[in-house]
Amino acid sequence: MQPLHVKAPAKINLFLRITGKRPDGYHDLCTLMCPLAMYDTLTLKEGGSGVAVVCNHPCVPEDSSNLAARSAYLFLGTVFAGHAPPVSGLTILIDKNIPVGAGLGGGSSDAAAVLVALNNAFGQPLTTQALMALGTRLGADVPFFILGAPAVATGIGDRLEPFSHLTPWTALLVYPNQVVSTAWVYKNLNLRLTKGEKKLSKFNFNGRFFNVGEHLVNDLEPVTTKAFPVIKEIKRLLLAHGAAGAMMSGSGSTVFGLFADPVRANSVCSALRDNQQNKNWTLYVADLLI
């Protein structure tokens, strides 16, 4: 197998409502996710034994618990079940650009990129739907990254419907270098309070375009903000600098502001970087991939 070089995009949640809790402990949700032009870069090389992971980020595990490694084991075990795979071993090099524990889906995207890359390398033995079914076993967001386009996700996030009614936006992302545990956020979610505050119970716009002022909402934001009040401060700054809307992505802690003008987004990014009070924040500018 020749070395494979693939890019794994980040995502933001433009809409996120928690609709209920399932008997298995997972939560049902309705969310609009969109990929971003902001990427981890992965290189897959044959060699060694088993699956090895090497990453330039100290917080990313380099053992079998890594989602990219689990993805490779799952693909090879499924496609070559009962006989030896054509590669004796695999090394996955991850050049990490998407921050860890930030609500941007980096780990899930890496896993999806590995599934797609291996499927292409071995002649596409699995359909896209079959790959997405495998991805569900790794994490709720993995099928979305296999789809690779804006989509409304329901269930635990695994039932996807492509969404084509987004206009171009540039996102300015601010990561306050605070790692948030998704499990902790869901554990502390008050469903009764969430339902009482709902303006929109589900994402059903009947072909209407996404309206930033009306539809930008995240049920998880109040939970994370209680533990990380910096999220509220970042939102305030982004709106004060002209963002059409600002919100936390996923379970956090990244906050994004949407700008119609990419030049303005880059200008605000520079201004916030130059502010010494924000020296612990990491900022990115990325277009929505629509």
Side-chain angles (χ1 to χ4, degrees):
M1 186 183 81
Q2 295 298 314
L4 307 173
H5 304 282
V6 292
K7 295 198 298 184
K11 61 84 182 168
I12 55 174
N13 300 78
L14 293 167
F15 177 93
L16 177 56
R17 283 299 196 196
I18 307 301
T19 57
K21 190 171 184 180
R22 299 152 56 103
D24 60 8
Y26 286 95
H27 287 78
D28 284 316
L29 53 82
C30 181
T31 183
L32 170 61
M33 294 187 285
C34 185
L36 294 175
M38 170 185 176
Y39 306 92
D40 287 346
T41 303
L42 285 76
T43 300
L44 285 70
K45 301 192 298 184
E46 182 177 359
S49 60
V51 178
V53 175
V54 178
C55 183
N56 63 340
H57 194 293
C59 293
V60 174
E62 295 184 327
D63 55 26
S64 59
S65 69
N66 185 289
L67 271 179
R70 290 173 54 197
S71 180
Y73 278 120
L74 180 60
F75 178 87
L76 295 172
T78 300
V79 173
F80 301 103
H83 56 280
V87 291
S88 58
L90 190 68
T91 298
I92 303 173
L93 307 174
I94 303 176
D95 183 6
K96 198 75 180 160
N97 183 52
I98 303 170
V100 177
L104 300 176
S108 294
S109 188
D110 293 349
V114 169
L115 284 177
V116 172
L118 291 176
N119 197 51
N120 290 337
F122 293 115
Q124 297 185 330
L126 300 180
T127 65
T128 299
Q129 289 299 320
L131 274 184
M132 290 169 70
L134 276 188
T136 301
R137 295 166 59 181
L138 297 164
D141 288 347
V142 177
F144 162 76
F145 286 109
I146 294 171
L147 179 67
V152 176
T154 54
I156 61 170
D158 56 332
R159 296 201 296 269
L160 297 171
E161 181 180 344
F163 185 79
S164 59
H165 300 288
L166 282 173
T167 52
W169 290 99
T170 298
L172 169 52
L173 301 108
V174 182
Y175 174 55
N177 286 294
Q178 302 280 352
V179 176
V180 174
S181 164
T182 299
W184 178 89
V185 173
Y186 276 98
K187 182 179 179 181
N188 287 274
L189 177 68
N190 187 329
L191 275 178
R192 288 181 298 176
L193 179 60
T194 296
K195 290 178 180 177
E197 293 178 342
K198 283 186 179 178
K199 293 183 294 184
L200 298 166
S201 61
K202 60 181 180 178
F203 196 98
N204 181 12
F205 302 134
N206 298 320
R208 293 167 55 200
F209 276 86
F210 183 83
N211 183 305
V212 171
E214 182 182 355
H215 302 140
L216 205 62
V217 66
N218 183 348
D219 280 346
L220 301 181
E221 186 178 283
V223 182
T224 308
T225 300
K226 285 182 179 179
F228 302 95
V230 67
I231 290 167
K232 187 179 293 186
E233 171 65 10
I234 294 171
K235 284 186 65 176
R236 185 192 66 78
L237 277 174
L238 289 172
L239 292 170
H241 281 80
M247 191 173 73
M248 185 185 81
S249 181
S251 56
S253 60
T254 298
V255 179
F256 63 86
L258 296 179
F259 293 82
D261 180 4
V263 174
R264 178 61 181 165
N266 280 283
S267 175
V268 174
C269 182
S270 296
L272 293 180
R273 280 189 178 134
D274 291 342
N275 186 336
Q276 290 303 304
Q277 291 180 334
N278 306 328
K279 62 183 178 181
N280 292 324
W281 299 354
T282 307
L283 291 87
Y284 310 81
V285 175
D287 292 331
L288 273 64
L289 296 174
I290 62 173

